[in-house]
Each structure stands twice: as structure tokens, then as C-alpha cells.
């Protein structure tokens, strides 16, 4: 997350720690990564919407989720305007980090090796998401 950017949803560090589990906090506020294959949402196949665990912003529709074989939930495209990106130069490589446009929480990374039609793969930490099934 870009600490210089003012997001519509802001919280103190204490409020983030109260809202998120320790693993969610490490990933979403500390730019961490969950262990591959560790999140139940990796196998979620119902119709619905994946929302930000930090602010409930709708991020990804289930019809754009696909199995990438990476161990993290993967999507072609986010809900319009819900995800922003920045350049991530950590770990000696250059990647495109994606974060929630509403609260700035780190979600994962986007790569250009996905399936058609966008050829994008939004590789998202499952702990950064909650799933809301269609009613």
C-alpha cells in the first residue's frame, strides 16, 4: 500500500490489527504472502463476489476466477475501479503489485500470463478476500 495516498477508507494501525487476523494483517498491511494452497477460497467455485477483507469493497466476480496452478486464487480482471497497481521492486525483481482502491490493502500481484481474453492473471492472497455468495 502506498502510505502517501489518501484512501476513502483509512484506519489506525490498532484498528487494522483489531479488524484483521494476524495473517491477514501481515499480508494486507505488511505486503506479505500467504503460503500457496493454504486458503479455502482457492477452491471456491460458487457464484458470487470476492470482496476485500479490509473494507468489503467488491474486487472480483467469481465468473472471472480460474485455476492457475499457482496455489493462489487467480482472476482475469477485477471489478471496474476496485483495484489499483504499483511497481513492486522487492526481492530483486520487478512485479506489478495490486491493492484495494478503497483501503490500500495489499492483495497480491498481476502478471501477463493469464488466459484470454485479457491474458492477465491477478494472483491474489486468499486471506485478503472474503467471499459473498449470490443469493
Amino acid at each position: 500500500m502506498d502510505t502517501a495516498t489518501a484512501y476513502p477508507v483509512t484506519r489506525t494501525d490498532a484498528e487494522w490489527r483489531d479488524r484483521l487476523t494476524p495473517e491477514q494483517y501481515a499480508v494486507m498491511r505488511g505486503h506479505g504472502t500467504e503460503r500457496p494452497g493454504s486458503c479455502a477460497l482457492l477452491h471456491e467455485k460458487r457464484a458470487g463476489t470476492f470482496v476485500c477483507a479490509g473494507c468489503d469493497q467488491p474486487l472480483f466476480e467469481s465468473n472471472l476466477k480460474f485455476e492457475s496452478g499457482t496455489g493462489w486464487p487467480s482472476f482475469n480482471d477485477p471489478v471496474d475501479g476496485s483495484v489499483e497497481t504499483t511497481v513492486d521492486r522487492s526481492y530483486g525483481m520487478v512485479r506489478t503489485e495490486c491493492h484495494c482502491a478503497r483501503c490500500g490493502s495489499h492483495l497480491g500481484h498481476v502478471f501477463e500470463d493469464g488466459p484470454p481474453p485479457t491474458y492477465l492473471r491477478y494472483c491474489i492472497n486468499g486471506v485478503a478476500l472474503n467471499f459473498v455468495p449470490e443469493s
Side-chain angles (χ1 to χ4, degrees), residues 1-12 15-16 29 52 54-59 81-84 99-105:
M1 102 213 87
D2 177 2
T3 55
T5 302
Y7 292 99
V9 171
T10 58
R11 294 185 170 87
T12 65
E15 289 169 331
W16 281 117
R29 305 313 295 173
C52 177
C55 70
D56 301 320
Q57 159 109 319
L59 298 171
S82 67
V83 173
E84 295 176 341
H99 56 272
C100 176
R102 184 185 289 168
C103 71
S105 291

Side-chain angles (χ1 to χ4, degrees), residues 10-57:
T10 58
R11 294 185 170 87
T12 65
D13 188 63
E15 289 169 331
W16 281 117
R17 288 181 186 278
D18 284 344
R19 179 175 178 94
L20 303 172
T21 68
E23 185 180 21
Q24 286 174 319
Y25 183 86
V27 168
M28 298 175 73
R29 305 313 295 173
H31 293 257
T33 302
E34 70 188 356
R35 190 172 42 84
S38 65
C39 180
L41 291 181
L42 177 63
H43 305 291
E44 180 60 65
K45 300 201 184 308
R46 294 175 292 170
T49 304
F50 293 86
V51 302
C52 177
C55 70
D56 301 320
Q57 159 109 319

Side-chain angles (χ1 to χ4, degrees), residues 38-114:
S38 65
C39 180
L41 291 181
L42 177 63
H43 305 291
E44 180 60 65
K45 300 201 184 308
R46 294 175 292 170
T49 304
F50 293 86
V51 302
C52 177
C55 70
D56 301 320
Q57 159 109 319
L59 298 171
F60 299 96
E61 297 297 335
S62 61
N63 64 324
L64 294 178
K65 183 175 184 277
F66 65 94
E67 177 52 56
S68 65
T70 61
W72 292 279
S74 296
F75 304 87
N76 285 107
D77 267 329
V79 171
D80 284 344
S82 67
V83 173
E84 295 176 341
T85 61
T86 56
V87 175
D88 176 359
R89 297 182 188 280
S90 63
Y91 303 105
M93 59 184 128
V94 178
R95 300 177 291 173
T96 302
E97 182 238 352
C98 53
H99 56 272
C100 176
R102 184 185 289 168
C103 71
S105 291
H106 172 74
L107 301 171
H109 292 86
V110 61
F111 302 96
E112 295 179 350
D113 61 0

